[in-house]
Coordinates of all heavy atoms in Angstrom, one line a residue:
F85 N 48.5 127.7 100.7 CA 49.7 128.3 101.0 C 50.4 128.7 99.8 O 50.5 127.8 98.8 CB 50.6 127.3 101.8 CG 52.1 127.7 102.0 CD1 52.3 128.5 103.2 CD2 53.0 127.6 101.0 CE1 53.6 129.0 103.4 CE2 54.3 127.9 101.3 CZ 54.6 128.6 102.4
F86 N 50.7 130.0 99.6 CA 51.4 130.5 98.4 C 52.8 131.0 98.7 O 53.0 131.7 99.8 CB 50.6 131.8 97.7 CG 49.2 131.2 97.2 CD1 48.1 131.1 98.1 CD2 49.1 130.8 95.9 CE1 46.9 130.8 97.6 CE2 47.8 130.4 95.4 CZ 46.8 130.4 96.1
Y87 N 53.7 130.8 97.9 CA 55.1 131.4 98.2 C 55.9 131.6 96.9 O 55.6 130.4 95.9 CB 55.9 130.5 99.1 CG 57.3 131.0 99.3 CD1 57.5 132.1 100.2 CD2 58.4 130.4 98.6 CE1 58.9 132.7 100.4 CE2 59.6 130.9 98.9 CZ 59.9 131.9 99.7 OH 61.1 132.4 99.9
G88 N 56.6 132.6 96.6 CA 57.4 132.5 95.4 C 57.9 134.0 95.1 O 57.5 134.9 95.6
H89 N 59.0 133.8 94.3 CA 59.7 135.2 93.9 C 58.7 136.0 93.2 O 58.0 135.6 92.2 CB 60.9 134.8 93.0 CG 61.5 136.0 92.6 ND1 62.0 137.0 93.3 CD2 61.9 136.4 91.3 CE1 62.6 137.8 92.6 NE2 62.6 137.6 91.2
R90 N 58.5 137.3 93.4 CA 57.8 138.3 92.7 C 56.2 138.0 92.9 O 55.4 138.5 92.1 CB 58.1 138.3 91.2 CG 59.5 138.9 91.0 CD 59.9 138.8 89.5 NE 59.0 139.7 88.8 CZ 58.9 139.8 87.4 NH1 59.7 138.9 86.7 NH2 58.1 140.7 86.7
I91 N 55.8 137.2 93.8 CA 54.5 136.9 94.0 C 53.7 138.2 94.5 O 52.4 138.4 94.1 CB 54.2 135.7 95.1 CG1 52.9 135.1 94.8 CG2 54.4 136.3 96.5 CD1 52.6 133.8 95.5
K94 N 52.8 140.0 91.5 CA 51.7 139.4 90.7 C 50.3 139.8 91.4 O 49.4 140.1 90.7 CB 51.8 137.9 90.7 CG 52.9 137.5 89.7 CD 53.1 136.0 89.6 CE 54.1 135.4 88.8 NZ 53.7 135.7 87.3
L95 N 50.3 139.7 92.7 CA 49.1 140.2 93.4 C 48.6 141.6 93.1 O 47.5 141.8 92.8 CB 49.4 139.9 94.9 CG 49.5 138.5 95.4 CD1 49.9 138.4 96.9 CD2 48.3 137.6 95.2
I107 N 41.7 135.0 88.2 CA 42.1 133.9 89.1 C 43.5 133.6 88.8 O 44.2 134.1 87.9 CB 41.2 132.6 88.5 CG1 41.4 132.4 87.1 CG2 39.7 132.9 88.8 CD1 40.8 131.1 86.4
F108 N 44.2 132.7 89.7 CA 45.5 132.3 89.6 C 45.6 130.8 89.3 O 44.9 130.1 89.9 CB 46.3 132.7 90.9 CG 46.4 134.2 91.1 CD1 45.4 134.9 91.6 CD2 47.5 134.7 90.9 CE1 45.4 136.3 91.9 CE2 47.7 136.1 91.1 CZ 46.6 136.9 91.7
V109 N 46.4 130.5 88.3 CA 46.5 129.0 87.9 C 48.0 128.6 88.2 O 48.9 129.4 88.1 CB 46.2 128.8 86.5 CG1 44.6 129.1 86.2 CG2 47.0 129.5 85.5
Y110 N 48.1 127.3 88.4 CA 49.5 126.7 88.7 C 49.5 125.2 88.0 O 48.6 124.5 88.1 CB 49.4 126.6 90.2 CG 50.9 126.1 90.8 CD1 51.8 127.1 90.9 CD2 51.1 124.8 91.1 CE1 53.1 126.7 91.6 CE2 52.3 124.4 91.7 CZ 53.3 125.4 91.8 OH 54.5 125.0 92.4
P111 N 50.6 125.0 87.4 CA 50.8 123.7 86.6 C 50.9 122.5 87.7 O 51.7 122.7 88.7 CB 52.1 123.8 86.0 CG 52.8 124.9 86.6 CD 51.8 125.9 87.2
V112 N 50.2 121.5 87.6 CA 50.3 120.3 88.5 C 50.3 119.0 87.7 O 50.0 118.9 86.4 CB 48.9 120.2 89.4 CG1 48.8 121.4 90.3 CG2 47.6 120.3 88.5
N142 N 46.9 121.0 82.3 CA 47.5 120.7 83.7 C 47.6 122.0 84.5 O 48.2 122.1 85.6 CB 49.0 120.3 83.5 CG 49.9 121.2 83.0 OD1 49.6 122.1 82.1 ND2 51.1 121.2 83.4
F143 N 46.8 123.0 84.2 CA 46.5 124.2 84.9 C 45.5 124.2 85.9 O 44.3 124.3 85.5 CB 46.4 125.4 83.9 CG 47.7 125.7 83.2 CD1 47.8 125.5 81.8 CD2 48.8 126.3 83.8 CE1 49.0 125.8 81.0 CE2 50.0 126.6 83.0 CZ 50.1 126.3 81.7
A144 N 45.9 124.0 87.2 CA 44.9 124.0 88.2 C 44.5 125.3 88.7 O 45.4 126.3 88.7 CB 45.4 123.1 89.3
T146 N 43.9 127.9 91.6 CA 44.3 127.9 92.9 C 43.2 128.6 93.8 O 42.2 129.1 93.2 CB 45.5 128.7 93.1 OG1 45.4 130.0 92.8 CG2 46.7 128.2 92.2
V187 N 43.3 135.6 83.8 CA 44.1 134.7 84.5 C 45.6 135.2 84.8 O 46.2 135.9 83.9 CB 44.2 133.4 83.5 CG1 45.2 132.3 84.2 CG2 42.9 132.7 83.4
Q188 N 46.0 135.0 86.0 CA 47.4 135.2 86.3 C 48.1 133.7 86.5 O 47.6 132.9 87.1 CB 47.6 136.0 87.5 CG 47.1 137.3 87.4 CD 48.3 138.3 86.8 OE1 49.4 138.3 87.4 NE2 47.9 139.3 85.9
H189 N 49.3 133.7 85.9 CA 50.0 132.2 86.0 C 51.2 132.4 87.1 O 51.9 133.4 87.1 CB 50.7 131.9 84.6 CG 49.8 131.5 83.6 ND1 49.5 130.3 83.2 CD2 49.0 132.3 82.7 CE1 48.7 130.3 82.2 NE2 48.3 131.6 81.8
L190 N 51.0 131.4 87.9 CA 52.1 131.2 88.9 C 53.0 130.2 88.3 O 52.7 129.0 88.2 CB 51.5 130.7 90.4 CG 50.4 131.7 90.9 CD1 49.9 131.0 92.2 CD2 51.1 133.0 91.3
G191 N 54.2 130.6 88.1 CA 55.1 129.8 87.3 C 56.0 128.7 88.0 O 55.6 128.6 89.3
R192 N 56.9 128.3 87.6 CA 57.9 127.2 88.3 C 58.5 127.7 89.3 O 59.0 126.9 90.3 CB 58.9 126.7 87.1 CG 58.2 126.0 86.0 CD 59.1 125.8 84.8 NE 60.1 124.9 85.1 CZ 61.0 124.2 84.4 NH1 60.9 124.6 83.0 NH2 62.0 123.4 84.7
G193 N 58.8 129.0 89.5 CA 59.5 129.6 90.7 C 58.6 129.7 91.9 O 59.0 130.2 92.9
S194 N 57.4 129.4 91.7 CA 56.3 129.7 92.9 C 56.0 128.3 93.5 O 56.1 127.3 93.0 CB 55.1 130.3 92.4 OG 55.4 131.6 91.7
A195 N 55.5 128.3 94.7 CA 54.9 127.2 95.4 C 53.5 127.4 95.8 O 53.1 128.6 96.3 CB 55.8 126.9 96.7
W196 N 52.8 126.5 95.4 CA 51.3 126.5 95.8 C 51.0 125.1 96.5 O 51.1 124.0 95.9 CB 50.3 126.6 94.7 CG 48.8 126.5 95.0 CD1 48.1 127.1 96.1 CD2 48.0 125.6 94.3 NE1 47.0 126.7 96.0 CE2 46.7 125.8 95.0 CE3 48.1 124.7 93.3 CZ2 45.6 125.2 94.6 CZ3 46.9 124.0 92.8 CH2 45.6 124.2 93.5
L197 N 50.8 125.2 97.8 CA 50.6 123.9 98.6 C 49.3 123.9 99.4 O 48.8 125.0 99.6 CB 51.8 123.9 99.7 CG 53.2 123.9 99.2 CD1 54.1 123.9 100.4 CD2 53.4 122.7 98.3
F211 N 58.6 122.8 104.3 CA 59.1 123.7 103.3 C 59.5 125.0 103.9 O 60.6 125.6 103.5 CB 57.9 123.8 102.2 CG 58.3 124.8 101.1 CD1 58.9 124.5 100.0 CD2 57.7 126.3 101.2 CE1 59.0 125.4 99.0 CE2 58.0 127.0 100.3 CZ 58.7 126.7 99.1

Side-chain angles (χ1 to χ4, degrees):
F85 173 89
F86 295 89
Y87 177 79
H89 178 55
R90 296 176 65 187
I91 199 163
K94 286 182 180 290
L95 294 172
I107 58 175
F108 291 78
V109 298
Y110 188 83
V112 293
N142 71 327
F143 288 107
T146 70
V187 175
Q188 289 274 316
H189 289 263
L190 298 176
R192 292 170 66 171
S194 303
W196 171 51
L197 304 175
F211 176 87

